Amino acid sequence: MTNPDFQSPSLNLSYDVNSSSFFKKDDNNYINVLSNVQLSSLENVSLLDIFLSEGQTIEPHWHPSEAELVYTISGELFIGILNGFTNQVLHYRLKPGQVVNIPKGWWHWETALTDQTHALAIFDQPAPTVVFGSDVLRFTPKEVFAHTYCLNEEQIASALQPITKTVVIGPPANCMRPVGANGQHHDEQRAYLQSHAHLHPSQRQQQLHQPQHPQAALPQPHYNYQSLYQPCPHHQYPMTRTLSHYIPR
């Protein structure tokens, strides 16, 4: 990559990010992008401009080449991050003006807790890259999953069959929720961290500062997805980096 020529008479320093779509699910859930493709004078910075309605989730993903700083502009945003060194899942609830730093290569996801949630994802590279979980699931041969984890290959193929493209923002509009033993549909978004719903707010805040093992954060059949989403702890952030689309197609 060549560095921008700041002495060039054709140097451009401005751009309207509203005109550059990265992904659009609908009029309320979409992402715009600014990289050196749109603005050639950029050096080591790029961003995604994110708009979400309540319950919409940017699917689990990682960024192989960049650190990411998430800044909430309006609404309320939940961020889950898997610390690959400790195998702990970190939970953050961000209100306007609050940030979370995500280290390069760390698995993470974001869920809007209110309508009209607006956030910026800022990267330390001139163009963001990302590997989405839906691509990992649909492009990894099913026999690899079956052999590696001693699973039924036909069941894996059946379970993953609905994932026919990169999801980016989920769940799909026509999503049919799984039905539990009690015959009720379970909302995956509202099934997050139910085991902590009984805690006093001060205890939940303490839990936030002491991340649980990843298994403790797996979706369970019954829970409210806002139950443990606590305000962002200003004095404690994980380090950050991540984003790239290099799954073979």
Side-chain angles (χ1 to χ4, degrees):
M1 175 191 140
T2 59
N3 293 325
D5 181 3
F6 294 109
Q7 300 184 65
S8 170
S10 61
L11 178 68
N12 184 13
L13 299 176
S14 66
Y15 187 80
D16 183 357
V17 181
N18 295 305
S19 64
S20 179
S21 175
F22 176 81
F23 178 83
K24 183 173 183 178
K25 181 177 182 179
D26 54 44
D27 289 342
N28 297 311
N29 297 280
Y30 58 94
I31 304 171
N32 294 327
V33 61
L34 178 68
S35 71
N36 61 349
V37 174
Q38 292 78 30
L39 187 60
S40 60
S41 58
L42 288 179
E43 293 186 274
N44 294 320
V45 66
S46 55
L47 63 82
L48 296 176
D49 196 15
I50 301 167
F51 299 83
L52 299 171
S53 54
E54 181 181 1
Q56 297 297 298
T57 296
I58 296 180
E59 66 165 312
H61 62 281
W62 76 83
H63 309 294
S65 304
E66 305 83 32
E68 177 182 359
L69 182 69
V70 180
Y71 174 84
T72 303
I73 298 172
S74 63
E76 198 165 356
L77 188 68
F78 167 79
I79 299 180
I81 306 171
L82 173 62
N83 183 327
F85 294 97
T86 65
N87 287 333
Q88 293 176 316
V89 175
L90 310 175
H91 309 113
Y92 298 93
R93 181 173 184 166
L94 303 184
K95 292 186 176 181
Q98 297 179 330
V99 302
V100 158
N101 191 36
I102 306 171
K104 175 181 178 179
W106 286 27
W107 185 250
H108 62 284
W109 56 96
E110 297 94 357
T111 299
L113 301 181
T114 65
D115 286 334
Q116 298 181 334
T117 291
H118 182 195
L120 288 179
I122 305 165
F123 304 93
D124 62 354
Q125 293 292 330
T129 59
V130 59
V131 177
F132 286 110
S134 56
D135 289 340
V136 173
L137 292 174
R138 67 197 183 103
F139 290 124
T140 301
K142 306 305 178 288
E143 59 270 20
V144 173
F145 285 136
H147 173 76
T148 305
Y149 305 114
C150 194
L151 301 174
N152 184 295
E153 185 175 335
E154 292 183 359
Q155 291 179 350
I156 296 172
S158 177
L160 300 181
Q161 185 273 333
I163 306 176
T164 59
K165 60 182 179 180
T166 308
V167 173
V168 186
I169 300 176
N174 61 350
C175 175
M176 297 298 293
R177 304 295 184 185
V179 177
N182 61 0
Q184 299 297 317
H185 289 285
H186 302 317
D187 184 335
E188 293 87 350
Q189 297 297 330
R190 297 183 179 275
Y192 205 12
L193 305 174
Q194 174 64 24
S195 60
H196 299 81
H198 65 283
L199 296 177
H200 184 275
S202 63
Q203 292 176 298
R204 292 202 297 269
Q205 183 67 25
Q206 182 178 10
Q207 289 283 348
L208 183 65
H209 291 281
Q210 300 175 0
Q212 304 299 304
H213 187 278
Q215 291 184 350
L218 291 175
Q220 301 298 320
H222 307 282
Y223 59 49
N224 184 315
Y225 75 96
Q226 297 207 30
S227 62
L228 185 64
Y229 298 161
Q230 295 299 301
C232 175
H234 297 287
H235 62 280
Q236 177 183 344
Y237 297 114
M239 298 167 58
T240 310
R241 293 172 177 257
T242 312
L243 194 45
S244 172
H245 232 110
Y246 59 81
I247 299 292
R249 298 176 184 259

